[in-house]
Amino acid sequence: MLDFSSLLLAAALSGTCLSITLFAIWFTAPSARFIPTVACGMLVLVAHVVLFWRYTKDANPWLCHIVLALLSLGFLAICLSAMQYLGFRNYRRAVLPTLAAMAACAAFTYLGFDGIGFQITYTAVTVLLAAIGTMFWMKGDHDRRILLVVSFLSGACGVSFALCGLVLLVHGQWVLGAAPDNWAERVNSVVAVACMTGLGALALSLHHLQAQIELKAETMTDPLTGLMNRRALGELYGDRSFGPFMAIAMFDLDHFKATNDVFGHPVGDQVLCRFAAVIKKYGRAGVDAFRLGGEEFALVISRMTPEKAHDMASRIGVAFGTEIVPTHRGPLRSSVSGGMGFGAAVGRSLDEVLAEADAALYAAKRAGRNRVIAQHKEGQPDSGPALKTA
C-alpha cells in the first residue's frame, strides 16, 4: 500500500525544487511575468501540502481553514499565470469565483461541516484546472504539442480532485473531524505530484518558447515604425506563388532626403512614423505592411482584384498627403510615390512581383511623383494621375 505521508512529502519536495528553478530563471528574464506567478502558486501549494501533512497528525479546526484556503489560492495563482501567458486580462473572472468559494468553504468549516468545506474546495480547484486546460486548448497559438500536453495534465489533475470531492459526496461525509483518507486521496497525491512536476517542466518549455517567439519578432520588426521588415517579407512570402488576386504596392516618400537635410532627422523619423500609421489603418486580413529600409515601404495585398488593390494604394497616398508634421519651420506636408506589381494565373514569385512594383515606382517618380502607377497590362489599371490631397 502507498505511504500517504511519503506521497505528500514527495509533492512538497517536487514543488519546492520547481519553484526555486522558476525563480532563478525569472531573475535572468524578468520580462516573463507569468514565471514568478506560477512559482508563487507552487510555493503556496507546497505550504498547503506541508500543513495538510501536519493536519493528518493533528486535526486542528483552524489548521483546516488554512489548508483549504492555501489549496484554492495556490491553484488560483497557477490559473492567473496561465492567463498572463496567454494574454487574458480579465483576472476577475478567476479571482471573484475563487474568493466566493473560499468564503463559502470557510463558513461551512467554521460551522463544523469540514467535509462540505473539502468538497467546495475540491470543486473550486477542479474548475480552475479545467479553466487552465480550456484556455490552453482554445487560445494557444504557439507550439500545439506543448500546449496540448498542458491541457492534458491540467485535465488529469482536475479529474483527480473531482474524484476526491465525489467520494466525500457519495459517502455523505459532511463532517470529517480529520483529514480525508481514501483511495481517491491517494490517487490524487500520485497524480498531483506527476502533473505538477510536468506542469512545472512545461512552464520552463513555455518560457523558452516565448523567448524564441519574442526574439524572432524583434528580428522581423522595424524598431522605428513597428511594421514588419524586409526579413519578414522574405519569411512570409519568399516561397509563395502570387496568383491573380495578389499584388504588391511599393511606396517611396518623395524628397525624403531633402526633408532630413532641411528639417533634421528627428522630423524625418516623424514623417516615416506618420506614413506607417496611415498604412496600418488599411491593415486587415490579407493585407501586410512592411518597411523595406530607409523611406521605402511595401504592402502585400491578397484576395483583391488588381483594380481594387490599385485603388487601396492610391487611397493610402491621398491619406498620407493630408498628414501634417509640425516643425520649427512651420507645418510640413509630404507626399509619396507608389508602384504596383501583380500576380498572375500561372503564379509569380516574390522577386518577380517586387521587380514589377519597383519598376512602376520609378515610373511614378519620373512622371512627377505623388502618384501610384501600375504598369499597363491587359486587365490591370493604367498609370495613375497625380494624387489629390486635401
Side-chain angles (χ1 to χ4, degrees):
M1 182 177 291
L2 292 172
D3 184 350
F4 192 37
S5 297
S6 298
L7 290 173
L8 293 176
L9 293 176
L13 180 62
S14 173
T16 302
C17 293
L18 282 171
S19 297
I20 294 173
T21 303
L22 290 170
F23 275 121
I25 290 175
W26 177 60
F27 286 135
T28 63
S31 61
R33 297 180 179 178
F34 79 99
I35 291 288
T37 308
V38 69
C40 288
M42 287 189 174
L43 282 180
V44 172
L45 291 177
V46 167
H48 157 77
V49 169
V50 172
L51 292 178
F52 185 76
W53 172 79
R54 179 61 184 168
Y55 184 65
T56 61
K57 308 297 182 183
D58 178 19
N60 184 294
W62 287 107
L63 194 56
C64 180
H65 283 287
I66 298 173
V67 164
L68 294 177
L70 289 177
L71 183 61
S72 295
L73 287 176
F75 280 103
L76 173 61
I78 292 176
C79 182
L80 293 177
S81 72
M83 296 176 74
Q84 284 179 312
Y85 179 78
L86 295 172
F88 291 96
R89 291 293 177 262
N90 192 3
Y91 300 129
R92 290 182 297 178
R93 297 181 63 180
V95 173
L96 294 181
T98 304
L99 293 179
M102 290 173 62
C105 172
F108 278 104
T109 304
Y110 179 77
L111 295 173
F113 296 98
D114 55 339
I116 297 179
F118 273 96
Q119 291 177 45
I120 292 174
T121 300
Y122 289 150
T123 301
V125 170
T126 300
V127 171
L128 288 171
L129 286 165
I132 294 171
T134 302
M135 285 189 294
F136 274 99
W137 182 277
M138 300 296 295
K139 182 69 183 274
D141 55 359
H142 304 324
D143 191 325
R144 297 299 302 176
R145 293 168 297 180
I146 295 178
L147 301 179
L148 291 178
V149 173
V150 172
S151 296
F152 171 77
L153 291 178
S154 300
C157 195
V159 169
S160 71
F161 276 103
L163 288 175
C164 291
L166 186 61
V167 168
L168 295 178
L169 179 64
V170 169
H171 292 165
Q173 294 179 292
W174 318 123
V175 179
L176 296 174
D181 186 7
N182 51 58
W183 65 268
E185 292 287 342
R186 296 175 184 275
V187 169
N188 173 258
S189 299
V190 175
V191 173
V193 171
C195 290
M196 295 311 296
T197 302
L199 287 172
L202 287 171
L204 302 180
S205 298
L206 290 172
H207 166 65
H208 179 64
L209 178 62
Q210 187 179 51
Q212 285 184 318
I213 292 170
E214 291 175 353
L215 179 61
K216 185 175 182 180
E218 289 178 2
T219 62
M220 296 178 66
T221 303
D222 173 54
L224 176 64
T225 63
L227 297 177
M228 290 181 284
N229 58 20
R230 185 181 290 272
R231 181 196 294 268
L233 177 62
E235 288 275 348
L236 294 176
Y237 292 99
D239 298 327
R240 290 281 297 272
S241 177
F242 283 69
F245 296 100
M246 293 186 70
I248 293 180
M250 285 188 66
F251 298 97
D252 190 282
L253 304 190
D254 295 332
H255 307 295
F256 186 70
K257 184 179 183 303
T259 298
N260 277 334
D261 292 342
V262 174
F263 297 95
H265 288 279
V267 172
D269 288 346
Q270 288 186 53
V271 173
L272 292 171
C273 291
R274 287 293 181 92
F275 183 73
V278 169
I279 212 171
K280 286 176 183 176
K281 292 179 182 178
Y282 288 83
R284 62 172 180 78
V287 178
D288 292 320
F290 304 85
R291 182 188 177 195
L292 301 183
E295 66 271 27
E296 283 193 335
F297 295 81
L299 193 70
V300 178
I301 305 169
S302 304
R303 299 193 294 275
M304 194 176 292
T305 63
E307 291 79 9
K308 289 185 177 180
H310 182 268
D311 179 63
M312 172 182 280
S314 298
R315 283 186 281 120
I316 289 173
V318 171
F320 178 62
T322 65
E323 294 288 321
I324 298 176
V325 176
T327 75
H328 63 283
R329 291 175 173 267
L332 170 65
R333 284 195 181 191
S334 302
S335 63
V336 65
S337 300
M340 302 294 300
F342 299 96
V346 295
R348 303 181 71 191
S349 69
L350 171 64
D351 289 339
E352 290 176 314
V353 181
L354 274 176
E356 180 182 319
D358 190 54
L361 170 62
Y362 279 97
K365 286 186 171 294
R366 289 193 300 270
R369 295 184 171 85
N370 191 30
R371 67 194 69 224
V372 177
I373 283 183
Q375 299 286 57
H376 179 68
K377 290 185 179 180
E378 185 178 353
Q380 295 179 358
D382 296 326
S383 300
L387 298 173
K388 295 181 180 180
T389 58

